[in-house]
Amino acid sequence: MEDAGGDDMSFLGLKGKSVLVFGVANKRSVAWAIGKSLEDEGARVVYSVRSDDRKKSLEALLGDRPVHVCDVEKEGEVDRLAKEVAAAGYAPLHGIVHSIAFANYSEGLKPFHATKRRDFLQATSVSAFSLVEISQAFAPHLARDASVVAIGISSLLVTPDNYGYMGPIKAALESSARFLAKSFSADTEVRFNIVGSGPLKTSASAGIPGYLESYLFAEKLTFRRRNLETQEVANAALFLLSARSSGINGTTLIVDAGLGSNMFDKEVIRLAMRPDR
């Protein structure tokens, strides 16, 4: 593919592509790292944030970029957004980034069996079903070979106490992506994939009770003894958004620096088994 601006070849081929990014909260957000990287590749990026207050708080960061407000928890909001984005001239969209998650940890850490119905349903609506609703609303506005990428977690088999009910909900997000991939395959080549990210240092993760200790522990289990950088997750998302990943669909791409394969690291075992002094 020849770059439209000259003779240089772009590996990702994202220049001029229209991509909608959900979930920017601040400069440390995964969504912002993805959006900025897309812009650096020459893509046309439009952003969606959850409230007018959030939009105002991002004025310094996003500047004059196109920003729409959409609270995915409210029925009808996603349909309205789809019409707005299409009317603004961004259709057909070549990609959508779903980096949305919410859990109510305001009452602190609780055992999983003490999860409240309203908290579980709210978190499911925002963090998992929103992917289904967004896909449905934007279906008429997607390029035939568009790519939809959602941000998940690196392992759905672990049961961290402090993550609680978000574990099953992230599992629902991942399963939804596979079912969407199958559903859309009936008459399009739209792809749906997940970036399964290891622990990151973001403002969203800071709201999880006890997250700092978990983050530092995870770092000891990576092969390189260094946790992920947000940009590394963004890089994986850009690959999945590009045509270079055309053979990947209904899949979770794990980005965890080896964390999930290193639970019996000898140094971590030594520290865990050391008797208290």
Side-chain angles (χ1 to χ4, degrees), residues 26-101:
N26 52 51
K27 64 181 181 181
R28 298 174 68 179
S29 300
V30 175
W32 170 241
I34 295 172
K36 184 63 170 61
S37 298
L38 283 166
E39 292 173 357
D40 291 344
E41 290 291 323
R44 301 171 65 224
V45 184
V46 57
Y47 296 88
S48 174
V49 299
R50 68 183 178 90
S51 67
D52 287 318
D53 287 343
R54 176 58 54 80
K55 181 178 179 180
K56 185 173 180 59
S57 72
L58 290 169
E59 286 179 352
L61 181 66
L62 295 179
D64 60 357
R65 295 173 174 85
V67 183
H68 295 261
V69 174
C70 177
D71 184 345
V72 298
E73 192 178 354
K74 296 179 179 177
E75 190 169 356
E77 283 284 285
V78 175
D79 289 330
R80 176 189 56 77
L81 175 67
K83 294 175 183 176
E84 286 184 3
V85 170
Y90 283 89
L93 285 170
H94 300 92
I96 295 178
V97 176
H98 179 286
S99 185
I100 311 170

Side-chain angles (χ1 to χ4, degrees), residues 131-243:
L131 179 64
V132 180
E133 197 165 36
I134 288 167
S135 301
Q136 182 183 58
F138 280 90
H141 310 298
L142 292 175
R144 181 175 177 79
D145 60 347
S147 175
V148 179
V149 177
I151 306 302
I153 58 177
S154 57
S155 176
L156 298 172
L157 299 179
V158 298
T159 54
D161 295 313
N162 59 338
Y163 204 48
Y165 58 87
M166 278 302 292
I169 292 169
K170 285 293 188 179
L173 174 69
E174 184 171 306
S175 181
S176 295
R178 288 194 296 270
F179 274 81
L180 285 165
K182 173 69 174 182
S183 183
F184 270 69
S185 71
D187 52 12
T188 78
E189 293 186 8
V190 177
R191 297 181 294 117
F192 292 81
N193 291 294
I194 302 284
V195 176
S197 170
L200 293 171
K201 191 180 293 184
T202 64
S203 57
S205 61
I208 301 173
Y211 183 81
L212 178 59
E213 289 81 3
S214 298
Y215 178 84
L216 295 174
F217 174 70
E219 188 163 53
K220 294 180 182 300
L221 284 172
T222 62
F223 290 145
R224 66 191 188 188
R225 298 294 193 271
R226 177 168 54 84
N227 260 328
L228 287 177
E229 296 178 6
T230 303
Q231 187 61 47
E232 292 176 306
V233 176
N235 292 343
L238 257 66
F239 169 66
L240 290 176
L241 288 166
S242 78

